[in-house]
Amino acid sequence: MRFAIKTRPEHTTWQEIRDVWVAADDVELFESAWNWDHFYPLSGEPSGPNLEGWSMLAALAEATRRIRLGCQVTGMIYRPPAVLANMAATIDIISGGRLELGLGAGWNQQECDAYGIDLPPLKERFDRFDEGVQAIIGLLRDPVTTFEGRYVRLTEAYCEPKPVQRPHPPIVIGGRGPKRTLRAAALWAQEWHAITRSPAEWLELRSVLLERCAEVGRDPAEIACSVNVRLDDGIEAAAEEAAAYGEAGVDVVVLNLPHRAGPDLLEPLADALIRSGSAR
């Protein structure tokens, strides 16, 4: 099993986030680091500060040298897919090929209402998501992309320069919807990420993913599976939960760090994961 960290860019400062990521870069156990794609805080006062995720990734790519990095996960509703593809290619180049391209359909009504961003009904949102993923893959992979969807249209479109990772950075599709999200993961993802309450709940969703893979003819072994584990009850409890997910078959555990956690948390956390037996 592999490990990652996630920092919440709400009610904090750039320097605090940067310090944690730079420190995580030196802890070999942590494979990747993640932020989120929101414009408002998800807890506390909504008028408080919340750093924008993708511009942070560009800076953090330059501040680090080893750790992979990504946004968990990018809301497709916030940016035209072609613009997002260009952003992803650029950050993959800045990082030397370390980007994980997290994608989701989007859901935050408050942000959309405030910013004048259309949040379509669920079916249309996922139709747009499916088209967006395909358009992004085409732009990152192919010399020229033409795509004729209902919502996304590209006409002999270029995305240059191409990302370092070929054919494209790994696509991480986040969500737990059994019909649309898990089908999208089966079709296009190199990793599926879900927030679940227990290994048992994750196993239920995993069985659905296996069904979707069978339906589209995809080998499920090609899709890594990741989950979030929070540190609400302390480092040791999180390490035990991570070990339980590992026993269930999860490939990657993302440790959600406490709000405004400092770099000094990382080494004790890594030691606890090793002691729990989850780090093998």
Side-chain angles (χ1 to χ4, degrees), residues 121-132 134 150-152 180:
L122 201 59
K123 181 184 182 304
E124 179 182 333
R125 203 181 317 161
F126 277 97
D127 290 343
R128 289 177 178 272
F129 177 73
D130 286 353
E131 291 184 11
Q134 294 173 80
R150 181 175 180 183
Y151 303 104
V152 179
R180 298 299 300 268

Side-chain angles (χ1 to χ4, degrees), residues 206-228:
R206 167 69 171 166
S207 68
V208 178
L209 178 65
L210 296 178
E211 293 175 11
R212 299 293 170 263
C213 286
E215 291 167 3
V216 302
R218 180 86 183 277
D219 181 358
E222 297 175 357
I223 306 171
C225 297
S226 60
V227 298
N228 280 8

Side-chain angles (χ1 to χ4, degrees), residues 235-246:
I235 287 175
E236 297 298 334
E240 291 176 7
E241 185 177 354
Y245 274 112

Side-chain angles (χ1 to χ4, degrees), residues 2-5 24 27-34 66-69 98 100 191 251-252:
R2 308 191 305 276
F3 298 96
I5 64 162
V27 181
E28 291 292 329
L29 185 69
F30 298 123
E31 174 188 81
S32 58
W34 301 79
R66 176 197 63 85
I67 201 164
R68 299 184 65 79
L69 63 163
R98 292 183 284 130
E100 301 275 321
E191 182 175 319
D251 301 297
V252 183

Side-chain angles (χ1 to χ4, degrees), residues 68 92 97-102 165 168-172 189-191:
R68 299 184 65 79
D92 198 54
R98 292 183 284 130
L99 178 68
E100 301 275 321
L101 182 47
Q165 298 178 92
H168 53 75
I171 303 293
V172 182
Q190 282 71 61
E191 182 175 319

Side-chain angles (χ1 to χ4, degrees), residues 6-108:
K6 182 176 179 180
T7 55
R8 295 156 51 187
E10 60 174 2
H11 307 294
T12 189
T13 67
W14 158 245
Q15 191 62 50
E16 287 175 310
I17 295 288
R18 182 187 182 280
D19 287 350
V20 171
W21 283 51
V22 169
D25 201 36
D26 290 330
V27 181
E28 291 292 329
L29 185 69
F30 298 123
E31 174 188 81
S32 58
W34 301 79
N35 62 13
W36 69 32
D37 188 31
H38 292 286
F39 308 118
Y40 279 22
L42 295 187
S43 66
E45 182 57 49
S47 63
N50 186 86
L51 294 159
E52 196 279 323
W54 273 87
S55 27
M56 285 178 64
L57 286 185
L60 290 164
E62 183 66 16
T64 55
R65 56 176 174 76
R66 176 197 63 85
I67 201 164
R68 299 184 65 79
L69 63 163
C71 191
Q72 193 191 77
V73 289
T74 310
M76 189 69 78
I77 54 173
Y78 293 141
R79 305 164 190 86
V83 172
L84 181 57
N86 274 265
M87 293 164 58
T90 298
I91 291 176
D92 198 54
I93 291 167
I94 292 170
S95 68
R98 292 183 284 130
L99 178 68
E100 301 275 321
L101 182 47
L103 298 173
W107 58 270
N108 195 299

